[in-house]
């Protein structure tokens, strides 16, 4: 049985989806009507349990990661995030700690019992990343890096595919199709805001894209409200909205001291704000027949379904 | 006491809002921290009660309006919508019934005990519209029609100001400022999707704009998921997401027979789908300490959850 | 004989234009294959002569207008521009001098033998504007102000219709269709930059829209590089490019002292820069078989190069 | 002496460029005020000579390439283009001939005395591409593929860097900075249209970006009107406009039989249309003191002005 579809209850008939694409794709819901469930360590994504991935934008050192990991773990996050290879607009910006950072992240993940997710930027990094991470993240700028997508089709770890800054919905699904077509069926889509004329916020979070993707595709859909808004004050309401829209999880930047972050500190939540978010999520999830994911599975959370 | 702010509980302190605008405006929250409540007939918008405005895109005749009004009233809608002056891209498209349509709409509203909302396109229509409608709607294409905004500043009825297709958040607030500055403080903002590169859906619903506007301004914020998505299947999840994001209400197109509509039938909900939506809203509203508006106020709606 | 079409020489066959619109419109080239020529005073727009309209963004007083008019007239401009009713984003910005400003502008035009163009914002201003101006300008924010368009369809003066900030090409033509359908065939289209994600410049000048409109429609097309770029350094190259792309004229902001302007001074040319532009235009126009418009017609303008 | 700057004559002082970036970059004009000249075989790009690169979107076979090469060579093109590694939105679309196609292209180039340009998609292709091509093209989707940019910084061949579909001007320059910072100074920028709300044409050609880049940077700027418009009828006027705006060259798709092309045939010019374009360019180039590049240099092309 798959997770709910775009705000619909599981016991209601799946909505008829109109569309302009006629060619059947592996990524389409018709290819797997029950929905795909992705496994990262013990965590399952795409079922009724809602998964929260949290941590710093960039791994900066072991103390920072440990503090972030401890904070998000105690607040109830399921997956630890942290970038070690950082795609940066300027060649002179901090480019990430690289391999040493990966070990720091992996250790923190083990210590706190959380699988880890980190970004892979090129095929050459794959052997290392496959060995050390639990989820391979593809950044928005690489969504149509087809060489990378092809390589990920052969990877043995799940992939979280961020939507490109100006990728259409069809292009997003077709990018996922590259990975599925290569043989890797453990793919998640991630909406992280698109680039529009609006400049007040960092990007424009497209939650209709989430509901659309849930209807059109069988892949789990994750929302990244940190990059989407770039403003800590909006991450709580957008996380609740994502849950209500039918997302399967969140990817959130949390930093023990945002004002000292080497990367995107302006949009990171403090541990306190993240705790508030985790306290507020269950009520909205319950309203759409979901719940925060738990190791003991959905049995205990039975809502008589 | 004002309505909740952008996903925050009313009893939590309002978040500090960073911003680039330094000039204090009447539209800013600081000018009325408790929030503005708009009155349309007996209905109050901007308090804890969440208000649903529904009805056909265009008034086509008395039978159609009566059937739509009966359907949305019985499902629990609070305000009846219907256009009689229709701004259309082509001069050869149906331009609305005009004044006779207004009387049809007003009568249906009276019959079912609902105040009505209808679009005003130019200052010359104001005397008629002020007399016959309860809320004056400004369409997206007229958001920066300053002559109209100035005239509405002198109107004695509340105004629902739709965000322009490519209006920035600052321009949206400044358009409202024209009306407030003219002396009419009964203004609501309405997010109805912005124009982006994405073509799969009609527009891109910007729910972060809703949370942002709730924090930055004291005006109630309404969401129009019908124009924002243009797809009936997405109206339910986007309505739930809007409620979770902190919106104060919805504006939804409902048509007794969408396939026969003279305007935008492709995006209208059937009465059945609208009923489903109204059944699903309370749980999400409850999760953010809101409830569907009721004449007898919030006292009775104790959260027995 | 009509003006050249989108970079094509007049003596070459008009290109076949592919398109998705099937309904024949009055605005389509097929309705008047020879092209429309607009008359403003003695000036003809849409023939082989290329017309330059120049002057300040806003009329600020008689000295400023006189200095601007003298400068642009001596440099060879054909039409004097100046706003007296100013649509401004903020209600607290300078809103224009109104009717007194119009008389100032009209007098300066008479003194220097130039017809004048000024913006009309609402139907109620039309009687005054029709009497005092030679071309009625519709601003980008009013492109879909259908009440205004309908009124202009009855006006006895030519109309310059600016493309909306996010108007599609089809919507632009359909807005013109409103005016043509009302009976006024003296319409010019004006490309003034569209709103995109790019923020370095004020707008994105869409010169392909100019060539497209010349092929698809019989109406003259004017380019406004001042609003399109917002940067004085780019107005010269964009004016030359517009001429090469097949535009029929330019609308340019010139201010005797840009740093003191009450409106958009940052994008106004000084008289000196405007002179340079007027000196540089003829060579590019000659390369596409056009020339600066002259009262005595094209015969005398033999290319003595 | 460097090439003209954004529509300015070489003998006029370079315009003061306002800007928001304060950090000095290698890519900024101040780092090389005289302008960069790129060498591809015998061809020089960035001087007064204007360079035309033409050929099919994709190499499909030796006969097709030979016919295209012969056509563009005889019309006066300077560089032969053709893709062998094709980034395609769908994994099921034609992905290019790969290495065998490269040899076909290189041979045709040799036969007709033209250097060749072809797209490189990943670092692993670099050794082969460096050996066989004269210019390494980076596609729009890879503009922020930083692993690729870093590798190109070490390459011994010039790079043509296409602007990303939604890349800001600053991001475009910073992407070039990655290559310059790596040690490869032979870089050209290429404007190929950006993604906007407009759907009538494939993309929106941003010619102001060309003039801006010429002023802000010392790198040559090439325009690709084929991808920018997607419509053969607009390629001529946009090519003339690009020349007038100050571009240093064009990249144009020409196919012997567009209707049979395996990739983007809808936007390819026929050899006949391409001939017309080459006949029309010199007059516009002359009007801005440029000329089509010739092996014997600019001396002979004096226009004694």
């Amino acid at each position: 049985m798959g997770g709910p579809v775009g705000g619909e209850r599981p016991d209601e008939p799946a909505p008829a989806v109109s569309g302009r694409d006629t060619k059947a794709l592996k990524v389409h819901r018709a290819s797997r009507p029950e929905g795909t469930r992705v496994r990262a360590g013990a965590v399952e994504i795409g079922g009724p349990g809602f998964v929260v991935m949290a941590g710093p934008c960039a791994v900066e050192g072991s103390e920072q990661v440990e503090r972030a990991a401890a904070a998000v773990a105690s607040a109830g996050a399921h997956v630890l995030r942290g970038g070690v290879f950082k795609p940066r607009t300027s060649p002179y910006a901090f480019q990430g700690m690289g391999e040493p950072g990966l070990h720091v992240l992996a250790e923190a993940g083990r210590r706190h019992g959380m699988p880890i997710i980190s970004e892979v930027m090129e095929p050459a990094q794959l052997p290392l990343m496959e060995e050390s991470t639990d989820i391979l993240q593809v950044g928005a700028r690489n969504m149509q890096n087809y060489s990378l997508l092809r390589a990920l089709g052969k990877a043995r770890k799940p992939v979280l595919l961020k939507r490109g800054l100006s990728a259409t919905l069809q292009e997003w699904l077709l990018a996922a199709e590259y990975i599925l077509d290569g043989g890797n069926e453990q793919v998640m889509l991630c909406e992280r805001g698109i680039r529009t004329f609006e400049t007040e916020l960092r990007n424009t979070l497209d939650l209709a894209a989430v509901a659309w993707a849930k209807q059109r595709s069988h892949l789990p859909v994750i929302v990244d409200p940190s990059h989407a808004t770039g403003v800590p004050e909006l991450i709580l309401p957008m996380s609740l909205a994502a849950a209500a829209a039918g997302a399967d999880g969140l990817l959130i930047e949390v930093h023990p001291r945002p004002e000292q972050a080497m990367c995107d500190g302006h949009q990171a939540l403090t541990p306190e704000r993240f705790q508030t978010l985790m306290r507020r999520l269950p009520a909205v999830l319950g309203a759409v027949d979901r719940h925060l994911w738990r190791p003991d599975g959905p049995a205990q959370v039975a809502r008589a379904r």
Side-chain angles (χ1 to χ4, degrees), chain A:
Chain A
M1 190 206 78
V5 175
E8 300 289 328
R9 287 166 185 252
D11 54 340
E12 284 173 0
V17 179
S18 66
R20 295 176 302 189
D21 44 6
T22 48
K23 188 176 185 334
L25 297 176
K26 295 185 177 67
V27 75
H28 284 166
R29 183 161 276 273
S31 299
R32 186 174 297 183
E34 74 281 13
T36 284
R37 299 195 179 196
V38 167
R39 282 257 162 206
V43 177
E44 186 190 67
I45 306 155
F50 186 88
V51 171
V52 180
M53 313 180 188
C57 174
V59 170
E60 300 168 12
S62 51
E63 195 210 321
Q64 169 240 22
V65 170
E66 170 53 30
R67 292 185 55 186
V72 303
S74 78
H78 308 103
V79 177
L80 179 64
R81 66 154 289 161
V84 299
F85 299 112
K86 301 297 301 175
R88 301 303 297 274
T89 303
S90 165
Y92 310 124
F94 174 55
Q95 308 275 317
M97 281 183 68
E99 185 168 347
L102 193 57
H103 300 313
V104 165
L105 186 70
E107 231 170 87
R110 268 193 298 276
R111 215 156 35 232
H112 294 280
M114 290 185 286
I116 64 171
I117 176 172
S118 197
E119 178 165 352
V120 57
M121 286 175 65
E122 54 175 310
Q125 293 164 348
L126 258 183
L128 171 67
M129 297 294 283
E130 268 191 283
E131 180 155 329
S132 306
T133 71
D134 300 286
I135 305 176
L136 302 162
Q137 178 179 323
V138 179
R141 288 171 186 76
N142 276 322
M143 192 201 84
Q144 292 186 312
N145 180 337
Y146 298 116
S147 304
L148 181 58
L149 299 181
R150 290 252 182 241
L152 288 165
K154 301 300 176 200
R156 294 159 293 113
K157 287 286 171 67
V159 175
L160 180 141
L161 179 67
K162 287 199 167 183
R163 182 180 179 191
L165 270 74
S166 65
T168 64
L169 296 174
Q170 298 291 354
E171 289 169 345
W172 194 24
L173 292 196
L174 283 165
E177 185 80 5
Y178 267 89
I179 307 173
L180 297 179
D181 188 49
N184 186 349
E185 301 191 336
Q186 293 278 290
V187 176
M188 292 169 272
L189 300 168
C190 178
E191 160 63 24
R192 44 76 75 205
I194 55 173
R195 184 165 274 183
T196 69
F197 63 84
E198 176 57 62
T199 56
E200 186 72 23
L201 305 178
R202 183 167 182 178
N203 290 290
T204 298
L205 179 59
D206 184 1
L207 284 179
V210 172
W212 181 92
K214 287 296 294 177
Q215 294 180 6
R216 188 64 61 90
S217 172
H218 52 83
L219 299 178
V221 182
I222 306 298
V223 170
D224 172 354
S226 303
H227 282 86
T229 66
V231 177
E233 292 84 10
L234 297 179
I235 291 174
L236 170 59
M238 287 306 98
S239 294
L240 301 183
D248 296 298
L250 295 170
L251 182 66
I252 295 196
E253 294 190 355
V254 178
H255 195 285
R257 278 174 297 198
E259 71 287 358
Q260 296 176 13
M262 296 173 73
C263 169
D264 283 350
H266 57 89
Q267 73 194 21
L269 289 188
T270 57
E272 293 68 37
R273 274 185 184 250
F274 181 67
Q275 276 183 347
T276 302
L277 167 58
M278 294 300 288
R279 269 202 317 269
R280 296 288 306 281
L281 271 172
V284 174
L285 288 169
V288 291
D289 284 328
R290 304 289 288 263
H291 52 83
L292 283 177
W293 184 83
R294 296 180 205 178
D296 41 11
Q300 285 82 336
V301 248
R303 289 201 41 171
R305 315 158 40 121

